[in-house]
């Protein structure tokens, strides 16, 4: 079965969910153009998710993918937090920030019973997960209204594991990808390989359709991924300059600059590895630091620095998530970009 048939879409192009950088508007535009738009929910409260799903329902009858993180939440650790705040102390002084007033907070929530209840009111036909899948009970709940489930895999082992746990299609996330690495069976960075090495190996290892993600930015890249056996592609970075995305001004400026050619994996902004454009914080404290609290607690300590810097037009403390190929970022409508990405498919 083709991916289009499985998901009820016309084009095998999935707009990657990008928490913090887009909402329903981008998803609606891509889905109405025949691709699969995605709504990232990791940074949304239940009411916000409800509002976004209502907006989607009002503006498209095409399928839209609803995306969640599935990390195992940990309790905040005072010792790690203190170490992290000490690393950031010189910056607090530079910006005149009173560190004692910065709250400890998570900022990103995993998929739960409560969120399953929220989405059950809308019965989305596609639901995707990052950092593994939820419990068998929650998976069954989401499948009960016929939803197809997708999840990112970054290794052959993760792909096999996802297939055994009932995922309908597997997103092969190569090392080039922007944003968080979906790795969940291992945190060993040496297991992570590039998209065009990963996709054919996962295609051979599993029976489910495989969706290629990471560094795909134009029609030739899409066609090449399909040649390697992918049933579809998931593209994030290329959509970040579309007017329907909520990409911040400093993020947009960075994506358009020469700096965008230099990305790295960093754990500084959340506590988990994610790929972004190298900026001041990454140069000075990382890109990878052992002083960082566990995911997602690193975010709270940086938040006031990010806010101050961004108000001065600087992305020095912002997560400038981007993949290794920003060559496809265009300031054109998401519908037009989707059509262009699909233009070399037969
Ligand atoms: C700004 C940004 C935010 C992202 N946020 C999410 C997210 O919330 N959920 C998710 O499953 N993947 C997220 N990703 C990863 C994408 O799903 C995908 O793996 C990646 O965009 C593919 O690589 P590309 O950016 O080179 O196209 C994000 C990627 C970017 C660039």
């Amino acid at each position: 079965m083709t991916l289009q048939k499985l998901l009820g879409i016309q084009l095998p192009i999935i707009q990657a969910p990008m928490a913090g950088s887009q909402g329903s508007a981008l998803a609606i535009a891509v889905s109405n153009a025949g691709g699969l738009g995605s709504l990232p929910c990791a940074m949304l409260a239940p009411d916000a998710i409800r509002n976004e799903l209502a907006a989607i329902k009002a503006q498209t009858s095409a399928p839209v993918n609803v995306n969640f993180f599935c990390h195992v939440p940990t309790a905040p650790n005072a010792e790690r937090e203190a170490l992290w705040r000490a690393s950031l102390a010189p910056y607090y002084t530079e910006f005149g920030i009173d560190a004692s007033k910065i709250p400890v907070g998570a900022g990103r929530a995993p998929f739960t019973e409560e969120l399953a209840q929220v989405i059950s009111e809308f019965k989305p036909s596609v639901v995707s997960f990052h950092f593994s899948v939820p419990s068998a009970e929650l998976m069954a709940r989401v499948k009960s209204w016929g939803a197809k489930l997708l999840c990112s895999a970054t290794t052959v082992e993760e792909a096999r594991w996802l297939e055994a746990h009932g995922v309908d299609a597997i997103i092969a996330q190569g090392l080039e990808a922007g944003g968080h690495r979906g790795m969940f069976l291992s945190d060993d960075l040496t297991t992570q390989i590039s998209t065009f090495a990963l996709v054919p190996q996962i295609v051979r290892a599993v029976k489910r359709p495989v969706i290629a993600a990471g560094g795909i930015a134009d029609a030739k890249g899409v066609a090449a991924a399909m040649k390697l056996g992918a049933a579809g592609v998931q593209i994030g970075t290329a959509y970040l300059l579309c007017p329907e995305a909520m990409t911040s001004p400093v993020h947009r400026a960075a994506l358009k600059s020469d700096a965008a050619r230099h990305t790295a994996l960093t754990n500084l902004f959340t506590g988990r590895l994610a790929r972004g454009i190298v900026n001041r914080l990454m140069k000075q404290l990382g890109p990878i630091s052992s002083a960082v609290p566990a995911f997602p607690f690193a975010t709270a300590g940086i938040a006031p620095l990010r806010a101050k810097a961004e108000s001065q037009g600087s992305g020095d403390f912002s997560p400038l998530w981007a993949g290794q190929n920003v060559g496809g970022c265009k300031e054109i409508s998401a519908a037009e970009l989707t059509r262009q990405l699909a233009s070399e498919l037969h």
Side-chain angles (χ1 to χ4, degrees):
M1 192 194 290
T2 63
L3 190 71
Q4 291 91 309
K5 189 133 193 250
L6 179 73
L7 304 180
I9 54 179
Q10 289 159 30
L11 303 169
I13 310 258
I14 302 176
Q15 164 255 312
M18 296 185 285
S21 296
Q22 51 113 176
S24 54
L26 184 65
I28 292 163
V30 173
S31 287
N32 279 337
L36 183 67
S38 298
L39 178 72
C41 296
M43 295 171 75
L44 299 180
D47 275 349
I49 295 175
R50 216 174 254 120
N51 290 341
E52 288 285 59
L53 290 174
I56 288 170
K57 197 173 165 194
Q59 292 172 76
T60 185
S61 53
V64 170
N65 167 40
V66 183
N67 169 261
F68 295 91
F69 284 177
C70 278
H71 55 286
V72 180
T74 52
N77 175 319
E79 215 173 292
R80 294 276 293 275
E81 195 60 42
L83 200 62
W84 183 222
R85 301 284 169 110
S87 307
L88 297 173
Y91 302 119
Y92 294 144
T93 308
E94 180 184 330
F95 285 88
I97 291 166
D98 180 354
S100 67
K101 298 223 168 74
I102 305 170
V104 176
R108 285 168 180 81
F111 191 63
T112 54
E113 176 65 38
E114 184 191 7
L115 296 180
Q117 177 59 36
V118 171
I119 66 168
S120 71
E121 297 162 25
F122 296 87
K123 302 188 172 38
S125 61
V126 186
V127 176
S128 79
F129 300 111
H130 209 46
F131 314 136
S132 191
V133 291
S135 67
E137 292 73 28
L138 283 182
M139 292 273 281
R141 176 100 186 265
V142 177
K143 283 190 170 186
S144 69
W145 60 79
K148 300 297 177 216
L149 305 188
L150 319 178
C151 185
S152 304
T154 67
T155 59
V156 169
E157 288 71 25
E158 287 177 351
R160 285 202 178 108
W161 189 96
L162 291 174
E163 181 174 52
H165 285 77
V167 162
D168 296 291
I170 289 159
I171 304 157
Q173 190 196 33
L175 195 48
E176 300 92 324
H180 282 97
R181 301 225 39 75
M183 53 206 298
F184 61 91
L185 287 183
S186 161
D187 57 9
D188 178 357
L189 197 46
T190 64
T191 63
Q192 302 294 288
I193 61 174
S194 66
T195 306
F196 277 22
L198 183 64
V199 167
Q201 295 189 61
I202 292 187
V203 167
R204 270 199 301 276
V206 300
K207 295 199 175 61
R208 306 280 174 207
V210 175
I211 298 154
I216 302 169
D218 57 20
K220 287 200 178 349
V222 173
M226 306 293 276
K227 265 237 148 87
L228 288 179
V233 296
Q234 176 160 301
I235 296 178
T237 300
Y239 281 100
L240 283 170
L241 291 186
C242 292
E244 297 92 339
M246 299 184 327
T247 315
S248 70
V250 295
H251 198 175
R252 283 180 192 266
L255 287 162
K256 289 194 257 180
S257 75
D258 286 344
R261 281 199 297 272
H262 187 196
T263 66
L265 288 178
T266 181
N267 65 349
L268 296 178
F269 296 102
T270 64
R272 259 185 114 113
L273 290 173
R275 182 175 297 284
I277 298 167
V278 174
N279 61 3
R280 178 179 168 198
L281 190 74
M282 286 162 72
K283 279 187 195 137
Q284 293 180 342
L285 293 191
I288 296 172
S289 164
S290 54
V292 170
F295 182 87
F297 292 105
T299 309
I302 294 182
L305 293 166
R306 175 183 178 179
K308 278 251 165 140
E310 287 195 7
S311 73
Q312 297 165 10
S314 157
D316 283 354
F317 296 89
S318 306
L320 303 170
W321 299 152
Q324 285 180 333
N325 186 358
V326 298
C329 295
K330 293 180 186 173
E331 293 173 291
I332 58 174
S333 75
E336 180 56 26
L337 181 58
T338 304
R339 281 191 287 274
Q340 288 187 9
L341 289 166
S343 64
E344 295 197 19
L345 294 173
H346 309 291

